[in-house]
Amino acid sequence: MAALLCGAVGLELAWHYPLSGPVAVALWLAVALMSAVAWVQTPLIVLAPLAVCGLAPLTGWITFEEMDLLVTAVVSGGNLGFAFGLGPRERAPAWRQGLAYPAATSALIVLLAASALHGLWRGVQDAGGWQFGWFQGYHEPMNAVRNSKAIFLALLLLPLWVEAARMQPRRFTRALRGGLVLALVAAALAALWERAAYTALLDFSSDYRTTGSFWEMHVGGAALDGFLVMTLPFAVLTLLRTRSPAYFVGMLGVVLLAAYACLTTFSRGVYLALPLALAPMLLLADAQRRRSHAVDPESTQAGAGTVVLPLPRLAKLGALAMAAAFALAAVLVFTGGGYRGLIALLGVMLVLLSMPASLWLPGVGLRVTALMLGALLGALAGGASWALSMAVPKAAYVNYAVALVVCGLLRWRDKPGQAQPFYVTAVCAAWFWLLASMVIVADYWGGTPARWTSVAALLALGGLWSVQLIDDRFWPLRSTGYRGLRQRALLVAGLVLVMAVVALLGGGAYLRDRAATWKEDGKLRIAHWQAGLRLMHGPEQWLLGKGAGRFVASHFYEGPIQSHIGDYRLRTEGDESFLALTGGKHSLGYGEMFRITQRIEAPSTPTMRVRVLARSGVESDLRFEVCERHLIYIGNCSDRGVHVKPVMPSEGGEPVAVWQPYELELKTPSDLGGSGLLSRAVTFSMAVGTPGVRIDIARVALLDGTGRPLLVNGDFNREMAHWFFSSDKHHLPWHFKNAALHVLFEQGLVGLALLGTAYVLVLVRLSVGRGRDHPLAPAFVAALIGFAVVGAFDSLIDASRIGFLFFLLVLLGLGLRAMPGEGLPRAA
């Protein structure tokens, strides 16, 4: 029955898909067939494309989207596969089942669903009652469906996944982890492409925040932020546990790519969430390893290899000291020496991380002597190099390269297992020379200020190396072979991330500006929360909420007039449809206008022509733009406007809104859209430039110089198919800007208490409870902590895909448990 019902709904949605119904039906059937054959691995099918299955800027759909087609196809096909016995048929014993829900937990899930359903009903009633529409906006009844559907989509998948986790728990876990990692890869690649196409990969000063493939950010929000913090922990945990060299290299690339995406969000919430989430994850993963070794030192995990003990405490302290010293040195060097000094510092650290184990074979006395003599020789070489750099232009860079080559040659001449005091002296001398050469590079580039900050960095790193060489317990890189390379690769990746953060904070004007205004932004956010809570009236609304999807409309009708946003409605007169477009009552700067948009093909002619049939009851401005636009940031534009006037009746009286044709010419900007892989989306936009005024648009056409039409559905007879909208910079009226308060507004104290209970229960179960030894438990905890931190500053759940992922993690976390012998990861 589940398969048939979801099949009927999914095929109906697919048939009405705005881009092509037949193609959507064919793809829906293909996904359903795949899910029937491999229903145990449907987490991979659902989650892997989740980041990129939102095409609202092309389709015009916001209530329904590609995620709904994907989930209904998987639920329908997967349940049919299970019903007809495709795939595994024998259920595992109860003690091996990966998902198990006690009666109390099941009751809690039912109450969560009931609260969401009641919130949906209240939202529809508050919007004036049920009225179905394919293209309704944020003020209309279908917005309640958009805001509440996430938990129901997750619940549709849960019974199928419970069966999968019962029959083949390990395959299910691998599919779940793989789906989340691939989802992260897709989101990060989309962010990378966006930065490369619209700004520059290393441009950290432009007022451009990455939105990636998340159309939900067309009115602001933090959909990309929430998605990254909920998926990145699974990639980090996978990186720490993999034993395959090729897989390790691939996962290291994934984590670095995702880290770049996180940095380019310029989100203070993301920057705060990641350390607060990943630190507990590492502690929980470490505790898993220790429990495994305590129970059975020879324990193995199927397909995982032998469990490896974590580093001793002093070695961990040494690793943390290295990271802290490098972070301090990076800040000091970059302050005066810029990127060149920072790159030179990275070379110093790479040589330090490659120090051979044979350096610790001589006794402590010999090591101290070698260290002192090496420091003296390095200082003498550094002094000579500094004098040369003062006399010969560019000699600072040549000297640094020579010192780096000498360090490499000495590392190559190492004799493992042999105590060589003179070799220790030579290695120390070469490294201190390289350290001094880094100071010379920074001094050559930045002058006297850079010299002294770099000297401070030299003292910090030199002191750290001295302690680690004398007392080998503080040296964290004792392992050799593949494990040693893994450890060094992880540390190098960490150094690169530290460099990126330092460069972003020191060289990115945009982030510095955002960091400088955190107090003002915090006060504004608190005032917005207080204003939102004042929209709730009476005990009933506080207890049960105002209804799903009603914040935008409530804020519009009851909030401050000066913050009223623009809006659109599709109206009809006889058999003809027209668009009623209204400007906001706030300040309508170039970035604050409410725009109706459509993606178009870049015109190849020097000019374009806009023809529009419009009317208005008052004199008003109607603006037209053709710009490069990914979502909410525009560039390389051509824009003009027309003055729409009412008609004065010949017999006198009030002006009357009458349909009138208008025509204007737009020049095609040079290199509009670009070409090749990094070609940029070209968008046609309409906006009302007069605050609070409504303009009706019956038909609009955009023609290139040859008369070829560039717009689709310009008469709106297919409703809003292919049309989209955005509010580029005026974002607060669209979101509550706090996930907990958003739930409170929609479902009241009852809904907030139920969801809060489920959230806390998951954290407890997977940290100290029955699920703590599940292989993915640390990542689940980190993902949910990251969600809470970002959700403290944004609603998140009002973006369907983010809400869907969050509810999946909560619902699965309520039932995850480890099987005997499988709870303990292998290595770090």
Side-chain angles (χ1 to χ4, degrees):
M1 289 302 297
L4 293 176
L5 289 174
C6 283
V9 173
L11 287 172
E12 178 71 9
L13 291 175
W15 182 250
H16 285 87
Y17 188 62
L19 297 184
S20 174
V23 172
V25 168
L27 291 174
W28 190 96
L29 292 172
V31 173
L33 178 61
M34 187 191 313
S35 302
V37 174
W39 60 269
V40 172
Q41 295 175 293
T42 47
L44 182 65
I45 300 173
V46 170
L47 295 171
L50 188 60
V52 293
C53 63
L55 302 178
L58 297 174
T59 64
W61 266 5
I62 62 170
T63 301
F64 307 106
E65 55 188 311
E66 291 73 15
M67 178 182 70
D68 307 331
L69 299 175
L70 177 65
V71 172
T72 54
V74 167
V75 173
S76 181
N79 278 287
L80 281 177
F82 173 74
F84 289 108
L86 302 179
R89 300 186 181 186
E90 184 175 342
R91 180 174 296 184
W95 59 269
R96 292 189 64 241
Q97 295 172 7
L99 279 175
Y101 295 91
T105 304
S106 299
L108 177 60
I109 292 174
V110 171
L111 291 174
L112 281 171
S115 178
L117 187 62
H118 186 258
L120 169 61
W121 179 81
R122 290 179 68 87
V124 169
Q125 295 303 310
D126 190 68
W130 178 252
Q131 182 182 359
F132 182 83
W134 293 104
F135 296 95
Q136 290 183 14
Y138 280 58
H139 293 260
E140 296 162 280
M142 293 300 291
N143 195 51
V145 176
R146 185 188 68 84
N147 259 34
S148 57
K149 68 180 180 181
I151 187 172
F152 299 111
L153 292 175
L155 286 169
L156 283 175
L157 289 163
L158 193 60
L160 179 67
W161 287 4
V162 167
E163 293 298 332
R166 285 175 176 174
M167 292 192 173
Q168 293 192 340
R170 290 172 180 163
R171 286 185 66 190
F172 173 79
T173 297
R174 288 194 295 267
L176 180 61
R177 180 191 61 195
L180 290 165
V181 171
L182 289 176
L184 174 66
V185 171
L189 285 175
L192 181 71
W193 173 85
E194 182 186 358
R195 297 294 301 184
Y198 289 89
T199 56
L201 291 178
L202 298 180
D203 179 4
F204 299 129
S205 296
S206 299
D207 182 6
Y208 190 103
R209 295 181 63 186
T210 307
T211 56
S213 54
F214 289 90
W215 67 264
E216 297 90 341
M217 298 177 72
H218 68 138
V219 288
L224 174 62
D225 309 358
F227 196 87
L228 290 173
V229 299
M230 284 194 288
T231 52
L232 181 58
F234 293 90
V236 173
L237 193 64
T238 304
L239 171 67
L240 295 177
R241 291 179 176 175
T242 181
R243 296 183 67 86
S244 164
Y247 199 49
F248 174 79
V249 171
M251 289 306 305
L252 186 61
V254 168
V255 171
L256 290 175
L257 177 65
Y260 174 83
C262 291
L263 289 174
T264 59
T265 63
F266 296 101
S267 168
R268 292 162 293 191
V270 171
Y271 298 163
L272 180 63
L274 289 179
L276 292 179
L278 294 180
M281 185 190 80
L282 295 176
L283 293 175
L284 291 174
D286 182 71
Q288 283 186 340
R289 287 194 297 272
R290 291 183 180 279
R291 286 194 298 273
S292 172
H293 189 75
V295 172
D296 182 4
E298 302 299 327
S299 64
T300 60
Q301 181 176 338
T306 305
V307 175
V308 180
L309 279 176
L311 291 173
R313 295 187 185 277
L314 289 181
K316 286 183 179 179
L317 182 61
L320 291 174
M322 290 178 72
F326 177 74
L328 174 63
V331 171
L332 292 171
V333 171
F334 186 74
T335 300
Y339 288 102
R340 300 188 187 191
L342 199 58
I343 293 174
L345 176 63
L346 179 62
V348 171
M349 290 301 299
L350 292 178
V351 172
L352 179 62
L353 294 179
S354 67
M355 291 296 186
S358 62
L359 298 183
W360 286 270
L361 293 178
V364 175
L366 291 175
R367 294 204 301 274
V368 171
T369 303
L371 177 67
M372 296 176 63
L373 185 57
L376 177 61
L377 293 174
L380 292 174
S385 300
W386 181 77
L388 181 63
S389 69
M390 296 294 292
V392 180
K394 307 291 185 181
Y397 305 122
V398 176
N399 169 77
Y400 179 85
V402 172
L404 189 62
V405 170
V406 170
C407 289
L409 291 175
L410 284 173
R411 180 64 180 86
W412 179 60
R413 298 291 296 175
D414 174 49
K415 296 179 180 179
Q418 297 186 23
Q420 305 175 84
F422 291 108
Y423 179 72
V424 178
T425 303
V427 168
C428 289
W431 186 76
F432 278 113
W433 179 29
L434 182 66
L435 192 58
S437 299
M438 178 270 297
V439 176
I440 295 170
V441 169
D443 174 68
Y444 183 80
W445 176 254
T448 302
R451 178 190 311 160
W452 297 116
T453 55
S454 301
V455 167
L458 178 149
L459 295 176
L461 292 176
L464 173 67
W465 168 241
S466 300
V467 171
Q468 290 179 324
L469 182 62
I470 294 172
D471 191 341
D472 64 334
R473 294 177 300 171
F474 290 98
W475 182 246
L477 303 175
R478 302 181 183 184
S479 302
T480 58
Y482 170 61
R483 189 184 177 209
L485 290 175
R486 274 172 45 92
Q487 291 177 336
R488 287 168 172 81
L490 289 173
L491 283 174
V492 169
L495 298 182
V496 171
L497 291 178
V498 170
M499 285 180 56
V501 172
V502 170
L504 190 63
L505 292 172
Y510 180 44
L511 184 59
R512 287 201 305 271
D513 293 341
R514 285 180 57 78
T517 60
W518 68 271
K519 284 187 178 180
E520 292 78 4
D521 291 347
K523 293 178 181 178
L524 183 63
R525 195 65 54 92
I526 292 173
H528 179 65
W529 294 338
Q530 292 172 339
L533 292 176
R534 285 195 292 269
L535 301 177
M536 302 178 68
H537 310 296
E540 183 182 0
Q541 288 190 3
W542 277 93
L543 187 64
L544 301 175
K546 203 160 186 177
R550 298 311 297 160
F551 176 76
V552 176
S554 297
H555 191 280
F556 182 86
Y557 290 111
E558 301 180 49
I561 295 177
Q562 64 272 17
S563 66
H564 281 188
I565 54 178
D567 190 25
Y568 73 94
R569 290 285 195 281
L570 199 64
R571 305 297 189 194
T572 58
E573 284 185 356
D575 296 331
E576 295 296 323
S577 299
F578 65 91
L579 177 71
L581 182 59
T582 306
K585 294 183 180 179
H586 52 84
S587 174
L588 293 183
Y590 192 68
E592 287 80 14
M593 289 190 292
F594 179 85
R595 290 174 167 89
I596 295 294
T597 66
Q598 185 176 138
R599 294 275 180 92
I600 63 172
E601 179 185 344
S604 57
T605 55
T607 61
M608 300 165 284
R609 186 160 295 278
V610 178
R611 294 174 181 169
V612 61
L613 184 64
R615 70 182 181 186
S616 176
V618 297
E619 293 191 21
S620 51
D621 290 322
L622 181 59
R623 307 293 305 178
F624 299 96
E625 302 168 348
V626 173
C627 303
E628 294 173 349
R629 169 197 289 267
H630 179 62
L631 191 64
I632 58 174
Y633 297 101
I634 56 180
N636 198 20
C637 285
S638 176
D639 67 289
R640 286 186 64 188
V642 296
H643 198 59
V644 181
K645 298 180 180 180
V647 173
M648 184 68 69
S650 57
E651 64 274 9
E654 295 294 326
V656 179
V658 177
W659 294 114
Q660 300 179 72
Y662 299 90
E663 187 169 340
L664 58 86
E665 185 177 272
L666 293 174
K667 292 184 178 180
T668 303
S670 60
D671 192 33
L672 183 65
S675 60
L677 184 61
L678 297 179
S679 60
R680 299 170 293 278
V682 179
T683 302
F684 170 79
S685 304
M686 301 183 294
V688 176
T690 307
V693 171
R694 166 179 160 176
I695 298 178
D696 296 337
I697 302 170
R699 290 191 297 275
V700 60
L702 177 67
L703 310 173
D704 67 8
T706 66
R708 181 171 61 98
L710 299 175
L711 292 178
V712 180
N713 190 28
D715 58 5
F716 305 103
N717 283 329
R718 293 177 56 196
E719 301 184 62
M720 294 298 292
H722 302 283
W723 292 100
F724 195 51
F725 65 95
S726 71
S727 178
D728 293 4
K729 291 187 177 180
H730 194 62
H731 296 157
L732 287 180
W734 297 92
H735 311 275
F736 213 122
K737 292 295 183 179
N738 181 281
L741 294 180
H742 173 83
V743 175
L744 172 65
F745 184 88
E746 293 196 340
Q747 300 181 36
L749 291 170
V750 172
L752 181 61
L754 290 171
L755 186 57
T757 300
Y759 178 86
V760 172
L761 181 58
V762 172
L763 293 183
V764 172
R765 284 192 76 257
L766 299 184
S767 299
V768 297
R770 293 191 62 186
R772 65 178 182 171
D773 284 328
H774 189 278
L776 298 183
F780 266 77
V781 172
L784 292 174
I785 291 175
F787 175 89
V789 175
V790 176
F793 309 102
D794 206 276
S795 305
L796 288 184
I797 298 179
D798 60 355
S800 299
R801 281 183 288 174
I802 307 306
F804 173 68
L805 182 57
F806 168 73
F807 283 115
L808 275 182
L809 294 178
V810 169
L811 293 175
L812 292 175
L814 288 171
L816 280 183
R817 64 177 185 176
M819 295 183 296
E822 194 177 50
L824 296 151
R826 52 178 89 89

